Amino acid sequence: MSRPGFLLSAWPWRSAAYLLTGALTGAVTLVVIVTVAVVCGALAIVLVGLPLLVVVALGGIPAARVERRRMRLVDRDPLSGGHRTPSAPGLRPWLTTRLREQATWRELGYALLFAGLLWPVDALALTVALLCPLSMAATPLLMATVGDGREAKVLKQWTVTTWPTAFGVAVLGLLLAALGAYLLGVTAGARAGLARLLIAPREGDLGSTAVELARSRVRLVDAFEAERRRIERDLHDGAQQRLVALTMALGLARLDAPPGPLAEQLTRAHAEAGKALAELRELIHGIHPQVLTDYGLPAAISDAADRCVVPVDVDLALPGRPARAIESAVYFVVCEALANVAKHSGAGRAQVSGGHREGRLFLEVRDDGRGGADPTAGSGLTGLADRVSVLDGRLALTSPPGGPTLLRVEFPCEVPKAADRCA
């Protein structure tokens, strides 16, 4: 409003639209609340109206939703709702969650205040700041049409009988309209600020929402890891065993077949089956390695280091085994980091080290390559960061041009000692 071009901008009209829709919406809200309250009071005698009181309690939710949409006219900062997601689908969990939330009762209080007091203020401000000045500015037009050029009523209070007076009132109306534009802006801004104060999410609501999101994220991670292990187990116990049996059968048939075209075809089929078996084993190992399930993280990382084309030194000491989700995430982070070292670093040697200290599992992957790792260059670092952040971990990368490159990840977790785990 302090800018010189405020009067010529769209903000006065947006403020007028906000107040106009507020007056209309408030009147409708008042009628609905009074009607529902009267119906509930009349039916409460036969105990039928008591469940309808829940509708009254939840009446603030649609009113607050409409207010959030209306606030977009005068507020550039969108306002989100502070409601939590029900723990289960269905009407009853939804009602239970809504009735226990503070946001529901704050929105009900706002709806009652809106229906009883705020919308008349909107209508009064709109009348004084816009309708009255525009009516004064239209005095010459009214005098020429309705008054037959002889007289005109100004705000139905004063009579104008001369043209100079009519044009003077019109000029005064335009000046008052300019002042009214600022009054509209002040009123709309104050109304939007009061609405934001009443229906904006509180820190407690945001905290509970964040806790629920964290819990749901952990559940998704656990479900994802369980599904990975199930797929690995089905492939290992099903398709791999059948392919092994097929390879053995082709090998026996090749030995028994007489020399000739049939033996050559069996030889090629036996070789293709062997390649398919090797690819399936690599696929199973990439989904969830059996060595990680059977022997834990140090053995799995040592196995990954042995399969890397760059020599890798492993120095990982853990008192026990962390949670399965953490264990799997650390393993795949190391595998992805070693793959990046082999593809992009040009390193001659790499090192994987880590341990557990003060409730955090930390791991470092270091190489003596050229450095200059860029997360936007498609090196997989963005995927590593996403995998770590899902479990509330932290990832730090140091890779100056010319090297060396150091990747450090940390996960908050407790690692029980082996004796405790056995107990």
Side-chain angles (χ1 to χ4, degrees), residues 222 225-234 288 324:
D222 292 340
E225 291 300 328
E227 185 67 15
R228 288 172 66 101
R229 289 192 296 271
R230 184 192 66 80
I231 294 174
E232 183 271 337
R233 184 175 60 253
D234 292 345
H288 192 85
R324 290 184 175 180

Side-chain angles (χ1 to χ4, degrees), residues 121-387:
V121 174
D122 295 345
L124 179 62
L126 192 65
T127 301
V128 173
L130 183 63
L131 297 183
C132 290
L134 291 181
S135 178
M136 293 176 63
T139 300
L141 180 61
L142 294 176
M143 189 172 177
T145 55
V146 180
D148 295 329
R150 294 191 300 268
E151 64 178 17
K153 286 284 188 178
V154 180
L155 301 179
K156 298 186 181 297
Q157 298 294 325
W158 303 282
T159 302
V160 175
T161 58
T162 62
W163 285 104
T165 305
F167 282 105
V169 172
V171 172
L172 179 60
L174 293 177
L175 294 177
L176 292 178
L179 296 177
Y182 287 94
L183 179 60
L184 289 175
V186 171
T187 306
R191 276 281 289 107
L194 178 60
R196 176 176 289 274
L197 179 64
L198 294 176
I199 65 176
R202 299 294 192 269
E203 291 184 1
D205 299 335
L206 294 176
S208 60
T209 302
V211 170
E212 181 61 28
L213 288 175
R215 291 176 179 174
S216 63
R217 186 172 62 177
V218 171
R219 289 194 296 268
L220 287 175
V221 171
D222 292 340
F224 178 70
E225 291 300 328
E227 185 67 15
R228 288 172 66 101
R229 289 192 296 271
R230 184 192 66 80
I231 294 174
E232 183 271 337
R233 184 175 60 253
D234 292 345
L235 290 176
H236 183 274
D237 297 339
Q240 181 177 252
Q241 300 303 322
R242 291 182 178 273
L243 198 54
V244 168
L246 175 62
T247 304
M248 294 178 61
L250 289 174
L252 293 175
R254 180 174 62 87
L255 293 176
D256 295 339
L262 179 60
E264 295 178 358
Q265 293 180 2
L266 289 175
T267 301
R268 288 194 295 268
H270 184 262
E272 292 296 328
K275 293 179 181 179
L277 181 60
E279 292 178 359
L280 182 61
R281 285 173 176 169
E282 288 295 325
L283 176 62
I284 295 173
H285 197 277
I287 294 175
H288 192 85
Q290 191 65 29
V291 64
L292 179 63
T293 303
D294 295 340
Y295 300 103
L297 194 57
I301 291 180
S302 298
D303 178 68
D306 293 338
R307 291 184 288 108
C308 183
V309 295
V310 177
V312 181
D313 299 324
V314 179
D315 181 14
L316 182 61
L318 295 177
R321 299 189 62 171
R324 290 184 175 180
I326 299 290
E327 196 175 57
S328 179
V330 171
Y331 172 77
F332 285 107
V333 165
V334 171
C335 290
E336 183 66 24
L338 293 180
N340 290 337
V341 169
K343 293 179 182 178
H344 308 287
S345 69
R349 199 164 194 86
Q351 180 183 9
V352 179
S353 60
H356 185 268
R357 184 173 59 246
E358 297 178 355
R360 301 188 71 85
L361 189 151
F362 64 93
L363 190 108
E364 295 181 350
V365 180
R366 185 190 306 267
D367 68 77
D368 57 0
R370 66 177 66 96
D374 184 8
T376 63
S379 58
L381 295 175
T382 303
L384 290 182
D386 293 339
R387 184 183 290 274

Side-chain angles (χ1 to χ4, degrees), residues 30-48:
L30 177 62
V31 172
V32 172
I33 290 178
V34 171
T35 302
V36 174
V38 170
V39 172
C40 292
L43 296 179
I45 302 175
V46 292
L47 300 178
V48 178

